[in-house]
Structure formats: C-alpha cells, structure tokens
C-alpha cells in the first residue's frame, strides 16, 4: 500500500502540470496539433488513475485545452468526479472545468444534482461559493427546479459572500424555471435592503435584468431604488439603478421635456429624432404621449409635415378616450396651421385631412375644423374649386355627421361647408344638387346658427342657379328652382331661432317676388346676383396693428379726461364666424378677360393702398395669402386638371396622396424635359443646378409634397411594439405579474417535490427518499429495505410517476426506448417474460406481427396483448423469454454528442411477486460501451435503482458510448433479478440482445429545399438505390412510415415523388428521393457515408417487407 | 449583461475566455477570432467601444494584453470599461507584478477564480479588491499548509 502511494507520487512528478503544458505548446509551434494530441492521450491515461490529484491536474489541463478550442466533452464524467472531490482545491478545478465545458445538453449534469446540493449546504463557505459560481454556468431547467429552494435558502445565509452569489444565481434560476420567480421575489426584494453592499448590488443587478421585460411589475420598488440611488456609493450599482429607473418611463418623460427645451434653440438636433418621438405616441402613458405631441408641433418642416400628420391621423383612429383624441385633433390643426400655414405646400391635402377629421365622432372641436376650412377656403384662392367640391360632398352626406346632435360637436363643420358652398357657388359642379341638400327638412334639426348660415347661403346658391338656368334654355327650370325655395323655406320661417326666422322670411319674400317677375318672363338673375356681389378678402390677424398712425394723431393724449380705463382694441377677438359678414363683393374672374383683370387689379391696388384695413402683399413666397387675385401669381398650388377633383363619397387623404404622387412623378418628368430643352437652348452650365438629387427644403414645390409619406413607409407599416419582442427571448418567460398573491401551487419545489406531485398516494411521508432513480444510481440498501415495506401500501400511481419523465429524455443525445415487461404467469408454470421494444426481431423464433407505437408509457396495454401470442408459442416453462418487438428510438439529439446513445428501458412487472436487485449488464463491444458508474469495472453490471412490485413499471436509462455509427450492431446482455415471494426468493436471469440499428442514429432534421439542392449538387455524396416491390399503401402513408420509423423529414413532395432528408448524430447527411409507380417504389439515396447509407436502406427495405 | 470576457495577446491568441451565455464550442473559435480582429484593427485613438453584430464590445489594452468584454446593448459601456480596469488591478495585486499573458496562462485557474469573484452570471458581483482576493488567499494558505 505504502509502495503504491510512493509510486503514485513519483508518477505525479512526471505528470505535466498546466505550466508544462503551456510551455510545451509554445515550444511546439510547428507541430502544435500533434503535440496536443499526445498531451490528450496522456491526460486520458491520467484520468484512468485512481489518484484524485492526478485527475484534477488532468482536468485542469483539459480546461486550458478546451479554451484553445478542443472538444473535451468526453471527459465530462471525470470532471464530475473531480467536482465531487472533498478537497476544495480539486473541487474548484472540477467546477471550473464544468463551468467551461458543460452546457444544457451535457448528460452527466443530471448526476451532479446531489453533489451540488451537498456542496451548497457545505459548512465551508468557499465550497458553497464555488458551487454557486459553477451552477451559474451550466444550470439546466431540471437543476433549477431541483435546487431553487436550496438557493433561496442560501439567500438568507449568514455570510454575505454566499448571499450575494445566491442572489445572482437566482436570476439564472428564474430564466430556466420561471415558476420560481414569484415565490422567490419577496426575498429578493428584501435583499435590496441588505446590510452588505455587495448583496444589495447583486439584488439590484438581478432586478434590473428582470425589469427589462416588464418594468411595470417593478414599479412598486421605485422608492426603494430611489433610496439606494441616493445612498449607494458603488458606481456600478448606480448605473444599473439609473438604467432601471429609465424603464419606469420617468426618464422618458424628462427626456421629452428636455427635448422640447432644446428644440427652441437647436431645432435641427431634435428633428433627427423624429421617429423616436413618433414612437412615444404609442406609449401607454398619456402624459408621455402629450409631451411627444408638444414636441412634434415644434419640429415639423415642409418636408415632414405630411408624414407626421399621417402618423397622427393613424393615432386618431386608434385613440381611445375622447380627451386624447381631441388633443390629437387640435395638435394636427395647430401643427398644420402654425406660422400662417408655413409648412403646408399642398392645400388640397390639407382640405382632405380636415374632411377626414370630420369623421371623428363626439369631438368637441368641430368649430376648430370649421374655422380652418373657412380660413383656407377664403385665403387660398386657388384651392376654392377643390374645397367647394369637397364641401358639397360633405353637405350631401350631412346626415352622416349629424347622427347624434346632442353630443356631436362636429356638425359645426356644416356651418363652414354651407358657407363655402354658398360663397363660392360659382365653382360648384352641380349647384342645384347642393341647393337641394341645403334645404332638406333634416336641416331644421341643426343648431340655430348653422341653420341661419344654411338659409343665407341657400339664397346665394339660388342666385347662381338662376343665372345658369336663365342663361341657358327655357325659363321653366328657373321657375322650378324658385318653387323649390318657396316650398322649403317656410320650414325655416317657423324656426324658434330668431336669426333663422328673420333671414328665412326675408329671403322667402324675396324669392316670391322673384317668382312673380319670372312669371312675367323678366330676366332677374343679374339683379339677384348683385345682392351678393363683391369680393371677399382676408384680413391679417395683425392688420389692426399695421394701420399707420395718421399725422397729428397722438394716441397717448386724452380725448376726454378718463373716467375709467379704456379697452384695448389691439387684439381682435377671435370670433370664428365673424368672417361671414364681409360679403359685399364677388369675384368672377373666370369670365373676365386678361385686360379687364389687369385693370381691376390696378384699381384694387389703388383702393387697397388707401384702405387701412388691408395689408400689403408680402414679398415672401411663403406667405400663402396674397391680395393680388391673379391666379397665376399665387405661388401655392398649381392645380393639375388631370386629377379628378371630385372624389366620389367622402374623400380619403391617403387616396389623395397616391394621386398626388403620380402627379408628382409626371411633373418631375415634365420638368426634366423642360430642363433639357432649356439646357439645349442655353447651353450653359447654369442649367445644371436643376439636376435631380435630393430635394432641399426650398426645392419642394407645392405639388411635390406628397411623395414623402408613401415612399418611405409602406401602408400599415407602423413601428409596433411587437417587433422587438423576440419569441426566442429567454426573458420572455419572466414577464410575470409579481403583485398577485402566491398560490399554493406556486410554492417552490422542495427536495421531495417530485414525489409530492403524487399527492394522491396515502403514504407521503416517505416520499422524500423517493427521488428519481436515474439520478441516484447507487441506492443504499437500507433505503431499499424501508421502501420495500412501503411498497405494498403504495398504489400503482405512486410508482409510475416518479419514473424519470420526458424531461430527462430530452436531455439525452440519443435515446432508445426498450420496453421490458416482466411477467409471471399465475399458471403452474412460473413464467417471466420480458419484452423489449425493437424494430427488428432478435429472437427469430417469434414471428410476430408488430404494430408500432410510440407511447412508451401506455404501451403496456398494447404489449400485453402481444405477449399473449408470444406466451402461447413459448414452450419454455420457467425460463425467460425475451421478445424484442419494437424499438422506438426517440432521438432528440444534439449533434454535439455524436458518440452517445441513451437507451431508456421500461421494466414492467407482470407477475405477482416483487422483483428486486435487478442488474443490467451488457457485453461491451469494441465499438459500443455501456457507461458504467464510477469505480466499477468493465464487466460490472448496471444496478437498476429500483424494485418492482407486481404490476408496476419503471424506467431506467443507460448511456452507451458508440464510436462508429455506420454499422448496425447487436449487443448481448443479461438482466439478473430476484423474484421475491412471501415464502421464497428465486434468482432469475434473462438474456437479451440490444439492437442498435443505423436508423437509430438518425435524427429527424428539417431541411429546406434550397439547402437540399445545394447538398445534392455538392458532389460529396455517394449514391445508392433500392427498389421495393408490391407496396400496397398510399404514397403519403409510405412517406409517413419512412419519416416515422427512419427519422426522415420530407423536403419536398411533387405528385408521386418526394425528397427526404435526415442527419445522423455524427453529422452525416442522408438524402432520399422516393418515387412510386404502381406497386413499385424506388428509393434513390445519397449519403456521405456509403456504409451507413446501405444499412439505412436495408432497414427501410425491411420495414416495408414486414407490412 | 456581460456575454463573455476574453483575454488575448497581440497576435490574437486567446489567453482566457469565459462565456456567460452558452456558445457552441465550434463557434467559439470563429467568434473569438472575429472579435479580436475587430478590436486589434482599431487604432489607439479610436474609441474603446465597438458595436459588433447584435451586441457591443468593450476592450482595453494593457501592454501586449487585450481584454475584450462582450456586452448586451442594455449594459453601460463605461461601467464595463471601468470594470476591466478593476479586474486588472486585482490581477496586479494578486500576482504582485505587471500582468503578462504568461502569468495568466500559467495560473489560468486562479485568474478564472478571480474573474468568477468579480463577475458571476454575466453580472457584476463584487468590485472591492480585497474582498475579491479573500477567498483566493484563503485557498493559497490552505494549499501551502
């Protein structure tokens, strides 16, 4: 013994340590790979030794090699060994290696659960610390669930060193096992006030990460964070807290506020954040939206106005709650009308927007829209034709607006519509129709002041209609029009509103008189229209201020001694509807000739020069209103008559925008042509400045405005919240409401949780020991004894549930389910029977019809039927008979573990006695080896970690290491067990064969057709084919069968031809082309590994020969 | 969150790598090479923060040694920049001399241990120098005796 120790230490002296390895690699620069492979061989040798120090050294070197990019997953088990060393220095190396090499799909992680738990509860704080650190790197959902409670306890550990680590690792646990968040959160919150700053910082870190998903849930912590922010001196923590507080929107609000300040001085810098500000309009917080609106007001330009307004219009549609919607509406109007419509380059668009806004129900701002319509129609002469057409449509559809009088402020719009149609009636396409619309009986339900305007403007319209009718054919039409007026007006004469009554009776009398004249066939139209003759001109808001002070007038001097203070006259009250008064003139420039026009203009200029109430035309081209009425001088809108001005129904600004865009393109083309011409004529370089390029602000001519919206953003392409929510985001699961009270079901699982799931069992107290067998391969015999006693009390359920469930299986790289059913006949012959699910028959004696099924848990019922047939054939009385019926390979592999196959075996006891001490052993072949627990020799069996009472089934998992996967293999094995009756116990043995088919190494991998085509083209694949005769099944059944049994996926299917793809655990591609004609199926296959391909094809053939 | 910490020499050879979000072994080499190229190609007067794919890199050079930290875009670059300095100061204190890439290689496990004391789980856990070194000193005493 002593010699052995000495020998061990001498060996160690010759072992390379990490330094030697590093130096060695540096000294072997030219043949590094070779050197490293010898080193790895050495390490493998070292790992085989019993000395833990040697192993730890080897693992330490592996960690370095892993960093250099070498795969060391083969040593996973040794790492676990080193991790479980009792000496801290080794344990640390083990955990370091594990944290570097392990990942979620590393199988051996399952084995570490208990070791980690032990370390977590170790009295040595560094043991605990190193376990926590390691765990943070390789925690799996299973580990998270199993250890959540332990870690939570550690959060209240006496040592701050442990507390802070435990708090941090909790974040990983939440990610992997989100159910733990709610129960753990109160304690996490406590940690914010931990006396130790390190723990505080950890808690802040975790909560900041959590709050990224749903800041609202953490809003209640805001005061706490504020306190920390003012008290903490740790800058890292402060940064985190500020980041977090910014999630609470407070900072957003402040940011917007600051931007509005900056906007006043540096508008350009704010304008570049337009998209961000528009995004704020989607914010849940109304105050933020309002702030953003304020900002938008300040940042519009000619270029972006339409875009911004379009966005706002979308928000108007979406907005809930009239307050915000009204706010939006006023903002739209404010934005558009600011600085004298400075930013509007296309008034047709603006009118469309206004008309669209009339569709808002229940807004209080009808009068605002109305005043805008009036303002624009009066001041922008060129737009009148368009505006009148729109207003006529509005009047026609007045019933849509006046649905509910009481709450509908929008009918104010009709006021404007009626006035515009009346005042500019010469532009009406169909004045008669509009006149009728204005005299509908329904009008009487409108508010009085609107009716008054209706009546007055009906008269104006009447004059226009008369004129056109008289001028044309016979007088009867004109008389009919008069009759219409006489018929309808009495309705208004009876109005309760004084103004309506007065105007109506006045006009009624007038019309009656006109009718009389008409009957005498007197031409009256001229005279009637004279009533409304005269031109209407806009008055600037500051006109009063501009009035020059007449000489000798001292406004400061008292005229009389003041009895009281006089009223200021500077500001004219903003009476919206005051503009109706000045209708003493009419423009009729459509008919006047050029000379007349010029003459009039001159005269008017003279007149206006002397008239203090008119301001002079501004030299600025941006001023949209100008006194000079010459249409050709108005710089604003050149209406292209190719655009249909009359939009049927209510207009849509979007539709309008499209038309605009077309027009714009056309115009641009025209412009280019013109420019070309110009250049040709001039042949000078100056023409070049018109070169196409990004249009600057100044370049934008009114009609060119529309393109911005439609070109930059497709329809419906709103920046939505969902875009940044990645469905794969691991944090998504953490969007949990933390304010809800905890339900019982949410309590963190304590150690006994899996058994606790089986709460139906009357016996629960013993469940704590009943941890999953696969995780505790070595069970103490004392435990077994205890359990045996309880076994009888337990119902079947208790036993089934603790079996390793799918969670474990999903972690396996390759799992093959074998079903063993152990049955003892109640007949005289004691007959035990085992059954194994296998696709291939192993015992050739049994020619059976197999039906395939996948459900290993409920397979029992099916199998027992089959068993029946087997039993009958089976002549052997007491011996075992093993049927290998099916193999269902559930390969959920992970290509990283190309060398591992996990076989899940379900044992079901069908006899009346208890089966115990089951040992499972397989004769290893060169290629495949059973992974045995540490410390056992190559011939030791695998002890099945449970006993089977009658009628109970359980599952055990065996890990095999496979070198080559190109050939199918069979492995011989035996299962020994003891049959325990009340009186006796018998040793029994059962032989079986495990068949690893090539199919079982394939993993269903989806493949896209283009990738598939590339693969085939690559030419690296070898070809092979097979023919199946007399296949009597529909083609899709055939495909389904191949997919199911051989783990292929269909890439593409065209009629009776399909391409399929699969991939082996070692990354070989297998491609199939399946064609059918009649009963013959031909399969052409390609694979980079010909042997594997041949075997897979054989297996496919076999599958079909069995049916 | 910190995604990874890399220590590389001027020739781009990895001296230490620590990943806080799982990255397949096969991809690590390519990622490291790319990241290092990205940082090494920058001039000294250029900013130490680089936007790289969907995350950010913060790097700092100490003689021949580069420390590169990959972080999510929610993380504050300056705090990480400072953290690197802090980490190096701790290493200096522990190795009681200027940190060279050799020292890191030869005692890789210890450097890892220090790093684990500072960063856990991709989050900063401790920044106090003496507290970081307490466990390591305790271990050294243990193995000495």
């Amino acid at each position: 013994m002593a010699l052995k120790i000495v020998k061990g230490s001498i060996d160690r002296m010759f072992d390379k340590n990490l330094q030697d390895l590093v130096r060695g690699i540096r000294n072997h620069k030219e043949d590094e790979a070779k050197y490293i492979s010898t080193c790895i061989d050495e390490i493998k040798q070292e790992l085989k030794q019993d000395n833990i120090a040697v192993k730890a050294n080897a693992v330490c070197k592996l960690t370095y090699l892993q960093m250099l990019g070498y795969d060391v997953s083969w040593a996973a088990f040794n790492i676990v060994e080193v991790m479980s060393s009792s000496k801290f220095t080794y344990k640390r190396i083990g955990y370091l290696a594990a944290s570097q090499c392990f990942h979620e799909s590393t199988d051996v992680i399952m084995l570490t659960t208990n070791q980690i738990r032990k370390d977590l509860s170790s009295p040595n704080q560094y043991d605990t610390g190193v376990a926590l650190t390691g765990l943070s790197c390789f925690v799996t959902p299973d580990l998270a669930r199993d250890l959540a409670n332990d870690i939570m306890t550690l959060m209240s550990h006496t040592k701050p060193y442990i507390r802070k680590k435990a708090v941090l690792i909790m974040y990983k646990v939440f990610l992997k096992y989100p159910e733990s968040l709610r129960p753990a959160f109160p304690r996490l919150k406590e940690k914010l006030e931990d006396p130790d700053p390190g723990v505080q910082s950890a808690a802040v870190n975790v909560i900041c990460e959590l709050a990224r998903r749903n800041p609202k849930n953490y809003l209640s912590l805001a005061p706490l964070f504020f306190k920390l922010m003012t008290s903490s001196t740790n800058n890292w923590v402060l940064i985190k807290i500020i980041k977090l507080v910014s999630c609470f929107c407070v900072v957003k609000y402040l940011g917007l506020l600051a931007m509005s300040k900056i906007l006043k001085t540096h508008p350009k810098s704010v304008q570049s954040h337009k998209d961000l500000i528009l995004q704020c309009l989607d914010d849940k917080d109304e105050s933020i939206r309002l702030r953003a609106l304020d900002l938008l007001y300040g940042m519009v330009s000619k270029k972006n106005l339409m875009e911004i307004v379009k966005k706002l219009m979308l928000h108007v549609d979406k907005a809930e709650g009239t307050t915000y919607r009204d706010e939006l509406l006023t903002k739209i109007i404010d934005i558009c009308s600011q600085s004298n419509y400075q930013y509007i380059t296309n008034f047709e668009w603006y009118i469309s927007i206004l008309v669209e806004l009339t569709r808002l129900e229940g807004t209080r701002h009808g009068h605002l829209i109305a005043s805008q319509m009036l303002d624009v129609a009066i001041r922008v002469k060129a737009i009148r034709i368009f505006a009148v057409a729109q207003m006529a449509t509005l009047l026609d559809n007045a019933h849509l607006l006046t649905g509910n009088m009481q709450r509908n402020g929008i009918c104010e719009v009709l006021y404007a519509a009626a006035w515009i149609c009346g005042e500019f009636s010469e532009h009406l396409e169909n004045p008669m129709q509009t006149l009728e619309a204005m005299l509908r009986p329904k009008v009487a339900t409108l508010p009085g002041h609107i009716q008054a305007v209706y009546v007055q403007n009906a008269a104006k319209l009447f004059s226009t209609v008369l004129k056109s009718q008289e001028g044309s054919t016979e007088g009867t039409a004109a008389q009919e029009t008069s009759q219409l007026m006489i018929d309808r007006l009495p309705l208004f004469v009876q109005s309760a509103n004084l103004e309506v009554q007065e105007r109506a009776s006045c006009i009624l009398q007038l019309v009656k008189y006109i009718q009389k004249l008409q009957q005498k066939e007197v031409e009256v139209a001229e005279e009637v229209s004279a009533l409304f003759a005269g031109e209407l001109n806009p008055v600037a808001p500051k006109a009063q201020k501009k009035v020059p002070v007449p000489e000798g007038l001292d406004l400061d001097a008292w005229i009389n001694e003041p009895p009281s203070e006089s009223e200021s006259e500077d500001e004219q009250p903003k009476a919206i509807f005051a503009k109706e008064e000045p209708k003493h003139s009419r423009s009729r420039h459509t008919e006047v000739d050029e000379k007349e026009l010029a003459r009039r203009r001159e005269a008017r200029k003279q007149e206006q020069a002397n008239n203090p109430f008119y301001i002079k035309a501004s030299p600025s081209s941006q001023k949209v209103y100008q006194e000079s009425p010459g249409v050709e001088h108005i710089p604003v809108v050149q209406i292209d008559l190719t655009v249909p001005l009359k939009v049927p129904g209510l207009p849509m600004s979007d539709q309008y925008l499209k038309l605009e865009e077309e027009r714009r393109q056309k115009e641009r083309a025209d412009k280019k042509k013109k420019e070309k011409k110009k250049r040709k004529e001039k042949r000078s370089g100056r023409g070049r400045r018109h070169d196409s390029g990004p249009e600057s602000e100044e370049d934008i001519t009114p009609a060119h405005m529309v393109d911005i919206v439609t070109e930059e953003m497709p329809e419906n392409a709103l920046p939505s919240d969902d875009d940044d929510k990645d469905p794969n985001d691991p944090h998504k699961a953490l969007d949990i409401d933390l304010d809800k009270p905890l339900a019982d079901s949410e309590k963190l699982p304590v150690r006994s949780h899996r058994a606790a799931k089986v709460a139906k069992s009357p016996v629960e107290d013993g469940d704590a020991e009943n941890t999953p067998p696969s995780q505790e391969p070595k069970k103490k015999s004392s435990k077994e004894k205890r359990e045996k006693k309880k076994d009888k009390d337990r119902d079947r359920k208790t036993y089934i549930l603790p079996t390793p469930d799918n969670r474990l299986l999903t972690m396996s790289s390759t799992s093959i389910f074998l079903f063993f059913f152990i049955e003892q006949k109640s007949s005289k012959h004691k007959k035990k029977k085992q059954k194994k699910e296998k696709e291939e028959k192993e015992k050739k004696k049994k020619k059976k019809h197999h039906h395939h099924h996948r459900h290993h848990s409920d397979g029992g019922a099916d199998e027992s039927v089959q068993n029946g047939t087997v039993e009958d054939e089976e002549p052997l009385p007491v011996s075992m008979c093993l049927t290998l019926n099916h193999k269902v390979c559930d390969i959920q592999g992970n290509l990283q573990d190309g060398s591992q196959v996990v076989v899940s075996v379900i044992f079901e006891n069908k006899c009346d006695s208890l089966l115990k001490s089951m040992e499972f052993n397989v004769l290893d072949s060169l290629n495949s080896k059973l992974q045995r627990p540490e410390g056992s020799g190559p011939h030791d069996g695998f002890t099945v970690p449970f006993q089977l009472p009658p009628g109970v089934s359980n599952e055990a998992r065996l890990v095999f290491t496979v070198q080559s996967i190109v050939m199918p293999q069979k492995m011989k094995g035996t299962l020994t067990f003891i049959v325990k009756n009340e009186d006796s116990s018998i040793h029994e043995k059962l032989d079986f064969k495990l068949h690893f088919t090539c199919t079982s190494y394939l993993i269903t991998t989806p493949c896209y057709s283009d990738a598939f085509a590339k693969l085939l083209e690559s030419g690296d694949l070898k070809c092979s084919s097979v023919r199946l005769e007399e296949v009597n099944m529909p083609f899709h059944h055939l495909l389904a069968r191949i997919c199911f049994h051989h783990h292929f996926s269909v890439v593409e299917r065209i009629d009776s031809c399909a391409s399929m793809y699969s991939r082996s655990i070692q990354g070989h591609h297998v491609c199939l082309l399946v064609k059918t004609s009649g009963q013959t199926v031909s399969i052409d296959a390609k694979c980079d590994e010909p042997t594997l391909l041949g075997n897979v094809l054989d297996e496919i053939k076999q599958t079909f020969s069995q049916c | 969150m910190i995604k990874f910490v890399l220590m590389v020499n001027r020739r781009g050879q990895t001296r230490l790598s620590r990943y806080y979000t799982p990255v397949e072994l096969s991809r690590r080499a390519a990622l490291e090479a790319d990241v290092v190229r990205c940082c090494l190609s920058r001039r000294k007067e250029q900013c130490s923060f680089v936007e790289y794919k969907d995350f950010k890199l913060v790097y700092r050079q100490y003689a021949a040694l580069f420390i590169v930290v990959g972080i999510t875009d929610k993380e504050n670059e300056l705090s990480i920049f400072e953290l690197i300095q802090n980490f190096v100061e701790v290493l200096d204190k522990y190795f009681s001399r200027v940190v060279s890439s050799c020292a890191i290689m030869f005692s890789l496990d210890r450097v890892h241990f220090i790093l684990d004391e500072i960063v856990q789980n991709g989050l900063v856990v401790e920044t106090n120098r003496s507290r970081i070194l307490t466990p390591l000193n305790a271990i050294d005493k243990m193995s000495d005796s």
Side-chain angles (χ1 to χ4, degrees), chain A residues 23-36 70, chain B residues 11 13:
Chain A
R23 282 205 194 93
I25 292 175
R26 297 183 114 190
N27 293 336
H28 290 78
K29 282 215 175 85
E30 59 290 339
D31 53 348
E32 195 181 290
K34 199 179 148 204
Y35 178 75
I36 287 177
Y70 292 88
Chain B
R11 270 171 298 168
Q13 288 164 317

Side-chain angles (χ1 to χ4, degrees), chain A residues 663-894:
Chain A
R663 189 182 72 175
R664 179 189 143 265
Q665 273 169 352
K666 206 176 134 196
E667 274 193 5
R668 197 198 263 160
D670 287 351
K671 203 173 160 192
K672 266 192 187 166
K673 266 186 212 161
K674 271 184 199 165
E675 266 174 30
K676 265 188 191 166
K677 259 188 198 168
K678 255 190 209 168
R679 245 183 273 169
K680 265 185 195 168
E681 283 163 9
K682 286 192 176 175
R683 295 203 178 225
S684 79
R686 282 181 68 205
R688 264 195 208 139
R689 73 198 158 116
H690 294 289
D691 266 354
S692 59
E695 287 171 311
S696 73
E697 183 88 339
E698 286 73 25
D699 287 342
I700 299 174
T701 62
H704 280 222
M705 200 36 206
V706 206
D707 57 321
I708 303 162
V709 183
T710 33
E711 277 185 1
E712 273 192 10
M713 284 277 271
E715 281 287 319
N716 306 329
L718 262 187
S720 79
D721 286 0
D722 297 337
D723 286 354
D724 52 20
K725 280 189 185 158
D726 181 4
N728 297 323
D729 187 345
H731 302 89
K732 204 175 60 171
L734 292 184
D735 191 357
I736 294 171
D737 183 7
L738 293 163
D739 298 333
K740 262 196 314 191
L742 273 184
D744 277 350
S745 57
E746 284 184 294
K747 294 257 163 70
L748 275 186
V750 288
R751 217 180 150 184
S752 58
H753 73 280
R754 268 187 241 183
K757 270 192 205 161
V758 202
K760 291 112 203 168
S761 162
V763 201
E764 269 189 42
D765 39 356
D767 284 346
E769 280 86 32
N770 201 13
T771 39
S774 63
Q775 292 183 6
E776 282 180 70
K778 285 191 259 174
K779 239 186 191 160
K780 304 254 160 57
S781 58
S782 62
K783 262 189 199 169
E784 280 179 8
K785 268 179 209 156
R786 235 190 304 161
E787 280 197 357
K788 213 199 301 173
K789 275 182 208 153
K790 282 170 191 152
D791 284 340
K792 280 179 195 163
D793 307 334
R794 290 192 188 169
D795 56 13
R796 192 189 157 96
K797 230 174 183 173
T798 329
Y799 257 91
I800 293 171
L801 282 170
T803 60
D805 52 24
N806 291 328
R807 277 176 295 100
L808 297 177
L809 302 178
T810 51
M811 300 186 335
S812 60
S813 55
T814 303
S815 22
I816 301 177
F817 297 129
L818 303 171
F819 283 22
F820 279 69
F821 291 91
I822 302 172
E823 185 168 303
Q824 197 163 23
K825 283 287 257 182
S826 53
S827 66
K828 294 162 234 159
H829 306 300
K830 280 197 172 168
K831 186 158 143 196
K832 268 140 257 152
K833 188 126 167 285
Q834 281 209 348
K835 190 157 166 207
K836 216 186 212 186
E837 284 226 298
K838 277 235 161 183
E839 205 158 283
E840 255 71 36
K841 284 151 290 181
E842 290 294 284
K843 296 269 172 171
K844 285 93 203 164
K845 298 172 231 168
K846 287 157 202 128
K847 290 266 151 68
K848 291 206 312 165
H849 293 287
H850 314 283
H851 63 264
H852 303 264
H853 59 90
R854 229 184 153 94
H855 324 283
H856 62 276
S857 53
D858 55 9
D862 284 305
E863 293 308 310
S864 57
V865 178
Q866 289 188 358
N867 270 349
T869 59
V870 182
E871 286 153 26
D872 293 340
E873 287 171 24
E874 183 52 58
L876 302 172
V878 190
S879 72
M880 301 295 160
C881 57
L882 176 68
T883 51
L884 301 168
N885 294 334
H886 298 257
K887 183 183 68 191
V888 176
C889 304
D890 201 33
I891 306 178
Q892 294 140 345
N894 167 328

